[in-house]
Amino acid sequence: MNPIVTVQDAVTAFADFMEPTDAELDAIEQEMPVILADVDLLDAQIVTLDRTPTEVDDRRIRRARRRALAARVALVNRAAGASLPGGAA
């Protein structure tokens, strides 16, 4: 029997070089409100997978969908405002 440790060393040999850059981490931080809103929407949808959605479930999904959309709009507006020349937003 061959131990799997030798394969693990080969797979993780370059792990130190595969870390995200500061720019990538900043981009993730900018998108975090969208990510969290999407997670809330998925949570609301997952709750209804194994049962018939109630009126409360429907409202929760609608609210989560609106929050996700609002977070995306805010992200797009922030990106558009940052890219305009002359500081006009």
Side-chain angles (χ1 to χ4, degrees), residues 51-63:
R51 62 186 167 97
T52 303
T54 64
E55 185 178 336
V56 174
D57 292 330
D58 289 337
R59 278 188 268 160
R60 182 177 179 212
I61 290 171
R62 280 195 306 268
R63 275 195 307 264

Side-chain angles (χ1 to χ4, degrees), residues 2-71:
N2 294 333
I4 199 163
V5 175
T6 57
V7 176
Q8 181 182 5
D9 290 340
V11 171
T12 59
F14 299 105
D16 293 339
F17 301 109
M18 296 174 67
E19 295 294 322
T21 64
D22 289 339
E24 291 170 335
L25 291 174
D26 289 340
I28 292 170
E29 187 67 30
Q30 291 292 323
E31 293 177 11
M32 191 55 67
V34 174
I35 294 168
L36 294 175
D38 285 343
V39 168
D40 288 340
L41 176 58
L42 284 172
D43 285 344
Q45 291 170 335
I46 287 170
V47 166
T48 63
L49 285 178
D50 61 344
R51 62 186 167 97
T52 303
T54 64
E55 185 178 336
V56 174
D57 292 330
D58 289 337
R59 278 188 268 160
R60 182 177 179 212
I61 290 171
R62 280 195 306 268
R63 275 195 307 264
R65 192 174 287 134
R66 283 194 302 264
R67 279 191 301 258
L69 182 60

